């Protein structure tokens, strides 16, 4: 009998039987000695492909892993599509039924302003060169404003598509981006076989859909409003080239378009998450907070109200401290001001913000607005008073205790002295 010490399972066999046994067990197949009818079931239980190799992906565990991976990729695509969609609600061309009335109004308003400037310059032509210079500037700015009005919808559409493509490329291009790292860690992560970690990641992705939906709504509504306002804002250039209102309008619109890139602040920490779904989950929750902060500070007027509404909704319906920390980081406690310069962490109300921008636009048309007196809103004033009530009472007590007996003799049973009469009622002594 030949020396078969290298194979313990086939050492007792000889001849052709040994060769068959050795061929079945040379790949460390635990089902190599099982007969043909039952070998398929054995290989299926051990995750072995029908050809004899491992990693066929037909086991129950591999099927669940594939389902989790597909679910995570689907949720990531939805989040990406909500945060930076390719299409927006704004009109795509100047002949849109929604944009055409605003374009007609803006063009006629610019022409009317130009006519008024020409009439004024004609009546004051005796002033010479200054009036001729003003009329020439008004002519150039009027032509530029009328030409720019028709290009705003197309320019905004192209810029929105460029932002969407750049955002998608930035978050899915290489291994240093958050979404790409999450997909790779689901496949090859160190804790990828822990069901609780997978469940936590899927839960974080589902929670991330809520702020992503808020971003989608506020961005699209804001872009639509600012695009429709474009003809009215650009018409103010015909008055004499005052670009203050145009700059304010452009900064608001660009803030709406580029606000998804606030999530890139998480990218420097992505390298710490390689191979760990737990770190991926923490970074995803941090991205949720940044998305809320993006709504809070990046989108004017209605952003703060939506962010605080989302925070109140979460705090009233769950006691989870982690969820509370995330929404508080995204929408912190602030006070609203109606009109005044206040310390930090105080924002303008939507009414005040709209009033300020309206004032800038009217100033471009030559209309001055009266400034309202400065004060906090009622809710902010009550919150500030409640926050500082304990400190104020303790400070008042500390200041009042040392001289309380001297200032209030009635508390010690003494009769209070009669105060002296006023100076204007005192009699002057007779000389």
């Amino acid at each position: 009998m030949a020396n078969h010490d290298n194979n313990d399972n086939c050492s007792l066999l000889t001849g052709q039987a040994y060769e068959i046994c050795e061929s079945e067990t040379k790949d460390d197949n635990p089902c190599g000695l099982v007969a043909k009818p039952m070998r398929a079931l054995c290989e299926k239980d051990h995750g072995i492909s029908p050809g004899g190799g491992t990693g066929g992906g037909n086991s129950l565990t591999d099927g669940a892993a594939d389902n989790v991976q597909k679910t995570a990729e689907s949720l990531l695509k939805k989040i990406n599509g909500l945060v930076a969609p390719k299409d927006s609600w704004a009109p795509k061309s100047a002949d849109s039924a929604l944009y055409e009335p605003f374009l007609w109004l803006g063009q006629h308003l610019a022409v009317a302003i130009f006519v008024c400037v020409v009439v004024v310059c004609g009546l004051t032509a005796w002033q010479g060169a200054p009036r001729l210079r003003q009329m020439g500037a008004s002519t150039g700015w009027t032509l530029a404003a009328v030409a720019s009005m028709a290009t705003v919808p197309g320019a905004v559409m192209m810029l929105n598509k460029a932002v969407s493509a750049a955002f998608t490329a930035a978050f899915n291009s290489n291994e240093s981006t958050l979404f790409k790292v999450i997909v790779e860690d689901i496949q090859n992560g160190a804790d990828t076989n822990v069901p609780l970690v997978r469940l936590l990641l899927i839960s974080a992705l589902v929670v991330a859909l809520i702020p992503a939906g808020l971003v989608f709504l506020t961005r699209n509504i804001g872009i639509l409003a600012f695009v429709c306002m474009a003809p009215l804002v650009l018409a103010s250039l015909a008055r004499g080239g005052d670009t203050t209102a145009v700059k304010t309008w452009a900064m608001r619109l660009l803030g709406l378009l580029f606000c998804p890139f606030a999530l890139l602040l998480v990218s420097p920490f992505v390298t710490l998450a390689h191979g760990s779904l737990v770190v991926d989950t923490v970074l995803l929750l941090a991205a949720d907070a940044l998305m809320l902060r993006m709504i809070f500070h990046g989108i004017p007027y209605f952003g703060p109200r939506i962010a605080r509404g989302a925070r109140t909704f979460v705090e009233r319906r769950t006691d989870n401290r982690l969820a509370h920390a995330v929404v508080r980081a995204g929408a912190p406690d602030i006070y609203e001001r109606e009109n005044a310069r206040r310390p930090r962490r105080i924002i303008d109300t939507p009414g005040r913000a709209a009033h300020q921008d309206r004032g800038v636009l009217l100033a471009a048309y030559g209309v001055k607005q009266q400034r309202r007196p400065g004060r906090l809103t009622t809710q902010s004033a009550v919150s500030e008073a409640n926050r500082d009530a304990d400190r104020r009472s303790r400070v008042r007590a500390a200041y009042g205790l040392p001289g309380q007996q001297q200032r209030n003799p009635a508390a010690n049973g003494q009769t209070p002295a009669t105060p002296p009469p006023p100076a204007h009622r005192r009699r002057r002594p007779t000389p």
Side-chain angles (χ1 to χ4, degrees):
M1 182 170 62
N3 185 13
H4 304 307
D5 295 335
N6 295 332
N7 196 331
D8 296 337
N9 295 328
C10 305
S11 60
L12 299 179
L13 302 177
T14 60
Q16 187 177 4
Y18 173 78
E19 294 177 358
I20 296 175
C21 177
E22 187 180 15
S23 64
E24 296 291 348
T25 59
K26 64 181 180 180
D27 295 331
D28 296 331
N29 189 349
C31 304
L33 299 178
V34 181
K36 288 286 186 179
M38 301 299 295
R39 183 179 299 177
L41 295 177
C42 179
E43 291 177 346
K44 183 177 180 180
D45 292 337
H46 287 82
I48 303 174
S49 61
T54 58
N58 294 324
S59 64
L60 181 60
T61 305
D62 291 338
D66 292 339
N67 291 332
V68 171
Q69 180 180 352
K70 292 179 181 178
T71 303
E73 291 178 354
S74 176
L75 290 174
L76 289 174
K77 289 181 180 179
K78 290 181 179 179
I79 292 174
N80 192 0
L82 289 175
V83 173
K86 295 181 180 179
D87 299 326
S88 63
W89 295 347
K92 297 181 180 180
S93 59
D95 56 354
S96 173
L98 180 63
Y99 187 73
E100 193 172 4
F102 293 95
L103 178 61
W104 180 89
L105 179 61
Q107 290 177 347
H108 285 71
L109 183 61
V111 173
I113 293 174
F114 174 70
V115 171
C116 293
V117 171
V118 171
V119 171
V120 171
C121 290
L123 293 176
T124 57
W126 56 271
Q127 294 183 359
R131 292 305 177 185
L132 293 177
R133 192 181 302 111
Q134 179 184 3
M135 188 169 61
S138 180
T139 303
W141 281 109
T142 301
L143 294 176
V146 173
S148 300
M149 292 176 190
T151 62
V152 169
V156 172
M157 181 193 66
M158 294 178 62
L159 187 58
N160 183 64
K161 289 185 176 180
V163 169
S164 177
F167 182 83
T168 304
F171 278 88
N172 296 300
S173 58
N174 50 36
E175 297 179 355
S176 63
T177 55
L178 179 59
F179 294 165
K180 195 71 173 180
V181 166
I182 291 176
V183 175
E184 291 182 356
D185 288 346
I186 291 177
Q187 299 175 357
N188 305 317
D191 50 1
T192 184
N193 294 325
V194 181
L196 181 60
V197 175
R198 290 175 175 269
L199 181 60
L200 182 62
L201 179 63
I202 296 299
S203 302
L205 288 174
V206 172
V207 172
L209 287 174
I210 299 176
L214 293 176
V215 172
F216 176 79
L217 289 176
T218 50
R219 284 188 75 241
N220 280 278
I221 294 175
I223 291 173
L224 175 63
F226 280 98
V227 169
C228 292
M229 284 174 53
L232 302 180
V233 177
L234 292 173
S236 64
L237 293 176
R239 180 171 172 262
D242 186 3
T243 59
T244 305
V246 179
K247 289 180 180 179
T248 303
W249 166 81
M251 292 302 296
R252 293 281 192 268
L253 183 58
L254 291 177
L256 287 172
L257 290 172
F258 286 95
C259 64
F261 287 99
L263 294 181
L264 291 177
L265 297 176
V266 184
S267 299
F269 305 97
V270 171
T271 55
L272 302 175
H274 278 295
S276 176
L277 289 177
V278 176
V279 182
D280 291 337
T281 304
V282 173
L283 289 178
L284 191 59
L285 293 177
D288 292 343
L290 285 176
M291 293 170 80
L292 284 177
R293 296 285 292 186
M294 176 180 57
I295 298 175
F296 193 82
H297 293 287
I299 298 177
Y301 309 151
F302 38 80
R305 296 287 178 89
I306 295 177
R308 277 176 290 167
R311 171 182 168 176
T312 304
F313 179 84
V314 173
E315 288 180 342
R316 288 180 178 177
R317 284 164 176 78
T318 181
D319 296 331
N320 190 347
R321 295 183 178 180
L322 181 59
H324 287 187
V326 170
V327 295
R328 286 173 183 172
D333 290 325
I334 49 90
Y335 299 121
E336 284 186 323
R337 59 182 178 185
E338 290 185 344
N339 187 29
R341 289 190 175 275
R342 303 285 298 187
R344 295 177 60 187
R345 298 184 69 83
I346 295 181
I347 65 168
D348 298 328
T349 60
R352 172 179 162 84
H355 177 80
Q356 288 180 338
D357 286 352
R358 184 172 65 248
V360 172
L361 179 61
L362 293 178
Y365 284 109
V367 180
K368 294 183 179 180
Q369 282 187 314
Q370 293 183 353
R371 299 187 62 181
R372 294 178 295 179
R375 62 177 181 178
L376 295 175
T377 60
T378 303
Q379 183 179 0
S380 297
V382 171
S383 300
E384 187 180 22
N386 293 335
R387 187 191 66 175
D388 297 338
D390 181 57
R391 179 178 180 274
R392 290 178 180 176
S393 62
R394 294 175 62 182
V395 171
R396 189 181 298 110
Y399 277 111
L401 284 177
Q404 184 176 5
Q405 295 180 357
Q406 298 178 2
R407 296 178 181 179
N408 190 8
N412 299 329
Q414 302 177 3
T415 303
T418 304
H424 65 279
R425 293 186 180 182
R426 297 177 187 174
R427 287 187 177 183
R428 295 183 178 179
T430 305

